[in-house]
Amino acid sequence: WGLLGRRWMSAPAQDGISEKEALDRVMMIVKAHPKVNPAKLTQSSHFMNDLGLDSLDVVEIVMGFEEEFVLYIPDEVADKLVSVPAAVDFVAKHPKAK
């Protein structure tokens, strides 16, 4: 009888977050930036080319990712986070993203 409360087929704990959740939250952060026109934001937007942001704006957005997902993003990685897909890919694959 003591075994009835145990879960035999439980799934292993998943590190990180799903791609869908990463996308939703990345889009929320980018949309919240004061210089972003939400009407121009898509799932494939490039921060500079499509949204007209400058490098300082992108740094601010990356800092938003760090805060939102409780991550440290090294400069060499941050330099590559120039679009929604790049940010989503990074966050979804990061094992410590929350």
Side-chain angles (χ1 to χ4, degrees):
W1 293 101
L3 299 177
L4 292 177
R6 292 189 183 175
R7 293 178 54 188
W8 294 100
M9 300 298 277
S10 63
Q14 178 183 349
D15 288 334
I17 60 173
S18 72
E19 193 167 318
K20 167 82 170 95
E21 182 180 354
L23 174 62
D24 291 345
R25 291 166 64 188
V26 163
M27 295 285 283
M28 175 192 69
I29 292 163
V30 176
K31 191 180 293 187
H33 192 278
K35 291 186 181 176
V36 170
N37 177 348
K40 291 185 176 182
L41 180 62
T42 69
Q43 293 181 8
S44 61
S45 291
H46 187 280
F47 300 143
M48 294 177 166
N49 299 343
D50 299 326
L51 301 177
L53 302 178
D54 62 27
S55 58
L56 181 57
D57 297 324
V58 176
V59 167
E60 291 172 353
I61 287 174
V62 170
M63 289 170 57
F65 298 151
E66 288 181 317
E67 186 175 324
E68 174 69 21
F69 297 105
V70 193
L71 295 172
Y72 168 71
I73 302 174
D75 290 342
E76 61 273 7
V77 174
D79 291 343
K80 297 175 185 169
L81 300 182
V82 295
S83 66
V84 171
V88 169
D89 186 58
F90 173 77
V91 170
K93 289 180 179 176
H94 198 292
K96 294 187 179 181
K98 297 182 184 211

